[in-house]
Amino acid sequence: MDRLEAMSVFLAAVETGSLSAAGRRLGMPLATVSRKLSDLEAHMRTRLLHRSTRKLTLTDAGIDYFAACKRILEDVQEAERAATGEYNAPKGDLVLSAPVMFGRLHLLPVTIDFLKAYPDVDVQLMLGDRIVNLHDDHVDLALRIGKLPDSNLIATRIGNIRQVVCGSPAYFAEAGTPKRPEDLARHDCITFNGLMSADAWQFKSGKIEKVVAIHSRLVVNSADAAIVAAIAGAGVTRVLSYQIAAARQAGLLDVALQKYEPESWPVSLVYARQGRLPIKLRAFIDFAVPRLKEQMNR
């Protein structure tokens, strides 16, 4: 029996909550997962898991063994990083995660420049709008938009983004620029339904939150589509500030109702708390943070 592999299977089963989920994480057939756990329990001469059709629960012996396995496997990973030189020079694989549009507009250009500066590092950039679990998805660094829950992750703030109301100069010249949120009642609105309701938008007046009814002439499921429609003069839309930075700079969109915008959202780079930070990750953080901050402040 490969003891380290058996420990990894046991750890995956406990952390994912089922043998089938452990198999998916490890790329291993369910029957193989079950056999390796049985072999491990036979070797230990004790039951580590109570198995039912619904869930797995640790026995008293399993609780202690789980903690020991986690510590041992982390020590092995640490030793491998040291042996392969991850703590001596930036090299190896780096896995990054970011929301689709922010990643494409901001993180991807920085990553390309990083690859040029560090030829011994390879990067996998995962763009998606779901929040990944750094441990389960084997992600080294993730970009998060919004307030962060309390966790054992370390966060570095790179800026803030706002929810902005915008329209084309031609549309505002014809329909008028809204001065108060209530003015939106007489405007054609374009709603990105991933960000807000198609029937009402929320604003802030001083410390008071107010919800204003709007009429969405067009509802889309991507920010890109909402922005294209607004540039074409189809109406007023509401998206995130970074998403229209280039369009504003080109004079294609103007922003309205700025003093009524909700509280801005923080943008952060997060990574897991660990002993020694691999140099490849430290190098990327040191490289990316000032560049992303500069982009966010434009």
Side-chain angles (χ1 to χ4, degrees):
M1 180 182 66
D2 185 326
R3 194 86 58 85
L4 289 179
E5 183 184 43
M7 287 180 176
S8 298
V9 171
F10 173 65
L11 215 64
V14 175
E15 290 177 343
T16 61
S18 74
L19 302 190
S20 56
R24 287 192 295 273
R25 179 197 280 189
L26 299 170
M28 188 179 289
L30 175 60
T32 304
V33 172
S34 180
R35 177 175 55 79
K36 288 186 179 294
L37 287 175
S38 296
D39 289 347
L40 180 63
E41 288 179 325
H43 172 78
M44 300 286 294
R45 297 181 181 179
T46 187
R47 183 173 290 280
L48 301 171
L49 292 166
H50 294 301
R51 311 185 200 184
S52 72
T53 55
R54 284 187 160 187
K55 62 179 181 178
L56 299 175
T57 55
L58 287 164
T59 64
D60 289 343
I63 292 172
D64 292 337
Y65 191 66
F66 173 78
C69 284
K70 196 171 182 67
R71 184 176 62 253
I72 290 167
L73 291 174
E74 286 176 351
D75 287 345
V76 170
Q77 290 173 353
E78 188 82 358
E80 289 176 345
R81 287 193 182 109
T84 57
E86 278 195 24
Y87 297 119
N88 299 325
K91 65 179 181 179
D93 297 330
L94 193 62
V95 182
L96 311 175
S97 169
V100 175
M101 195 166 180
F102 191 100
R104 177 171 60 80
L105 292 176
H106 295 291
L107 192 59
L108 179 58
V110 170
T111 301
I112 291 170
D113 289 341
F114 175 80
L115 291 173
K116 293 175 183 176
Y118 293 93
D120 292 329
V121 179
D122 297 330
V123 174
Q124 179 183 351
L125 178 56
M126 300 165 53
L127 299 182
D129 290 329
R130 75 175 181 90
I131 296 178
V132 300
N133 181 295
L134 270 63
H135 181 270
D136 292 347
D137 293 299
H138 307 289
V139 172
D140 296 299
L141 184 76
L143 189 141
R144 298 272 169 85
I145 296 174
K147 292 183 178 179
L148 299 171
D150 292 335
S151 70
N152 62 347
L153 300 178
I154 298 174
T156 300
R157 177 81 66 88
I158 60 171
N160 294 280
I161 59 174
R162 302 157 21 236
Q163 296 180 59
V164 296
V165 172
C166 60
S168 71
Y171 174 83
F172 284 145
E174 181 179 345
T177 301
K179 304 300 182 186
R180 301 176 305 136
E182 291 80 5
D183 293 343
L184 291 172
R186 59 181 176 79
H187 282 270
D188 296 338
C189 292
I190 306 160
T191 296
F192 165 36
N193 64 6
L195 188 62
M196 67 201 72
S197 162
D199 302 313
W201 292 351
Q202 188 172 351
F203 293 90
K204 193 170 184 178
S205 181
K207 294 184 179 180
I208 300 173
E209 302 283 346
K210 61 165 63 177
V211 177
V212 175
I214 56 103
H215 174 56
S216 291
R217 295 291 313 283
L218 177 64
V219 178
V220 295
N221 66 350
S222 78
D224 273 330
I227 292 166
V228 168
I231 290 172
V236 177
T237 193
R238 192 179 204 183
V239 289
L240 300 178
S241 53
Y242 77 88
Q243 295 170 334
I244 62 162
R248 287 188 69 189
Q249 191 170 17
L252 299 175
L253 289 174
D254 290 335
V255 171
L257 303 175
Q258 288 178 274
K259 69 178 182 179
Y260 297 101
E261 291 172 359
E263 186 178 351
S264 62
W265 295 343
V267 182
S268 309
L269 293 176
V270 300
Y271 56 95
R273 192 181 303 275
Q274 50 191 289
R276 295 172 66 189
L277 200 64
I279 287 185
K280 62 183 180 182
L281 180 54
R282 170 50 59 196
F284 185 84
I285 292 169
D286 291 344
F287 186 92
V289 167
R291 289 165 174 81
L292 290 171
K293 283 184 175 179
E294 181 182 357
Q295 291 181 21
M296 296 292 293
N297 289 329
R298 286 176 186 169

